[in-house]
Structure formats: C-alpha cells, structure tokens
Amino acid sequence: MIGLYVLIVGSLYVLQRPMIFQAGMSPVPPVLNSVPGFQEVSHRTEDGLDLRALYRPAAPGALTLVYFHGNADGLSGSLRVTERLAAKGYGLLLVGYRGYDRNPGSPSEEGLYADGRSALRWLSEHGVPGSGTVLVGNSLGSGPATEMAATHPVAGLVLISGYTSLPDVAASTYPFVPVRLLMRDRFDNIGKFSQVMAPILILHGTADRTIPYDHAVRLAGAAGNRTRLVPFEGIGHELAGSPMVSPAIDRWLSFLAR
C-alpha cells in the first residue's frame, strides 16, 4: 500500500506540468490576420521565443486591455471572451503563451511570466503606456496577470475566476497528496497582491467547483479597499464566457476613467 502511494505521488510530481498546462487541448488558433479589426503580431521573449498575439488598437481616449487566457484555451477563445469589449472601443492585446496556439516552447510559471513581460514591452514600444493599460486574467491567466500588475505600473487589474495560488487549487483536488511541497509552479497571487498598486476587480462565480468562490473572497480581503469583488450567483468556472462579464468590466473601467 505504501509503495502504491509513493508511486502515485511520484507520478504526479513528474507529470505535474502536463497536468497543469493543458496546451494540447487549446483550440486551433485563428488564421493569420483573418480576424476583422485585429492584426497578428509577434513579440520576442527574453529567452528568444517569438510568440504570436492578436492586437486591436484602442479608440481615441480608450484604455487597452491585455488579456491572459485560461487553461486549455488560446487566441480563439480570447476573441470570443473579449468581443463585446472590442465593440466598446477598448484596445486589446490577446496574449499567446509558449506552447499554446502552436507557439514554440513549453509552458511553466516563469515562462508565462516571461511571455507577459514580452507582451507589455511590445505594447510600450508601440506607444501604449502602462497608464493606459489594464490587465485581465482568466483562470490560469490570473497568475501572469497578477505578476505583471505586481511588477509593472498599470491602470488596473481584472481577475476572472482567479485563484489564491496554484497549490491551494491542487490541495482541494488532491487532498491526499502533499502538493504544497511538490509543486514547482506556484503562481502565488495572494502573496503578490500587496505589491499591486493599481485598482483590482475580481469576478467569480459562486458555483465554481474548479476554483471555489472562497479564492475570490480571500483575494479581495488581501487587497483591501483597492478591490471590488463581484459575485455571479450560480455560475461555475465557465464565467468568462458569460454575457454578463463584459458589461461588468465595462462599468468598472468607466468608473476607473473618471
């Protein structure tokens, strides 16, 4: 029995990244420059990867949103989630991760952070300052979005179905495994919230079983009066695809711009 347990734990340790980063399940990326209003762009990471992203310039005076997608997703899903925000005139940079969307490289915590830094650098080089940038992270994407907000001056941070940390998520899924000791990719969002100087909007479904609503409550408590928490009653982890999300973000951004 002990030997079987050791085998299971060892297998989870070795296979943790393929289990965490479901890059192979992401949808087929959109055809090059086929999306009206968007252009495909490429940004090079500090470790030499050229990653594809989709960019739509903002209407005059509007903010630019940098969207970090969830797991088993990609640029196609990012387009669907943000289409109502695009119609409002917001600029959009839809970030593609290493290993996803047929991008080179293999995903990891530090890798996704490097991808985020590269995307923000590309924006800055193309005339979009941090003061005009709002970061939006969905599920897995809440990790790189929070890291970027903690290390870059930005106008705001929006988390959709975000987590306190990846070990907290794993601990509820694998209560019999010492995941807090074993996990290499931690995405400690709650530990970084004290470093985020920008206002924060947290959107979370109360029926989320993948990342329970309690994560949102704890995140909001860690950030104090800089944060607004909006619960969505009865909605699960599919929240980002709900038609109620974009209006909630739009209302908050309108208040932010006053």
Side-chain angles (χ1 to χ4, degrees):
M1 196 70 176
I2 294 177
L4 178 60
Y5 176 77
V6 171
L7 178 62
I8 293 172
V9 171
S11 298
L12 290 173
Y13 178 77
V14 171
L15 299 174
Q16 61 181 278
R17 280 192 171 148
M19 294 174 66
I20 293 170
F21 303 104
Q22 298 170 20
M25 297 176 63
S26 59
V28 176
V31 177
L32 180 69
N33 292 328
S34 66
V35 184
F38 283 85
Q39 58 181 300
E40 180 162 323
V41 301
S42 177
H43 53 95
R44 175 161 289 192
T45 66
E46 58 216 36
D47 54 345
L49 299 179
D50 291 315
L51 304 180
R52 68 196 305 245
L54 289 174
Y55 177 62
R56 177 189 181 97
L63 293 163
T64 293
L65 313 184
V66 181
Y67 182 75
F68 295 88
H69 65 75
N71 214 352
D73 204 353
L75 296 177
S76 295
S78 300
L79 284 165
R80 289 192 296 272
V81 170
T82 60
E83 62 182 349
R84 293 178 181 85
L85 294 168
K88 289 285 187 178
Y90 293 107
L92 289 166
L93 179 64
L94 310 181
V95 181
Y97 308 149
R98 61 186 63 208
Y100 290 73
D101 283 307
R102 298 176 182 166
N103 278 321
S106 298
S108 67
E109 179 180 6
E110 289 305 320
L112 265 60
Y113 292 164
D115 301 345
R117 288 191 293 269
S118 176
L120 292 186
R121 185 169 59 251
W122 186 94
L123 262 188
S124 177
E125 291 170 351
H126 288 78
V128 182
S131 59
T133 300
V134 173
L135 309 177
V136 183
N138 175 40
S139 189
L140 174 67
S142 67
T146 298
E147 169 70 11
M148 295 307 104
T151 54
H152 295 74
V154 294
L157 170 66
V158 179
L159 299 187
I160 307 169
S161 306
Y163 44 82
T164 54
S165 73
L166 223 52
D168 285 347
V169 177
S172 61
T173 305
Y174 301 101
F176 56 91
V177 177
V179 292
R180 299 184 191 282
L181 297 175
L182 297 177
M183 290 190 71
R184 290 172 284 176
D185 301 289
R186 309 189 72 80
F187 292 104
D188 182 19
N189 290 343
I190 196 167
K192 295 172 183 175
F193 257 34
S194 62
Q195 303 167 49
V196 178
M197 297 296 102
I200 303 170
L201 174 66
I202 300 175
L203 309 176
H204 213 108
T206 60
D208 194 330
R209 295 184 178 180
T210 303
I211 302 174
Y213 179 68
D214 175 65
H215 285 249
V217 174
R218 291 167 59 195
L219 286 170
N225 58 13
R226 291 179 292 109
T227 303
R228 180 175 182 183
L229 170 60
V230 180
F232 290 80
E233 295 295 331
I235 296 183
H237 198 63
E238 71 283 0
L239 175 62
S242 167
M244 296 184 288
V245 165
S246 291
I249 294 174
D250 183 41
R251 286 192 297 269
W252 183 75
L253 291 176
S254 297
F255 176 80
L256 198 65
R258 292 175 187 173

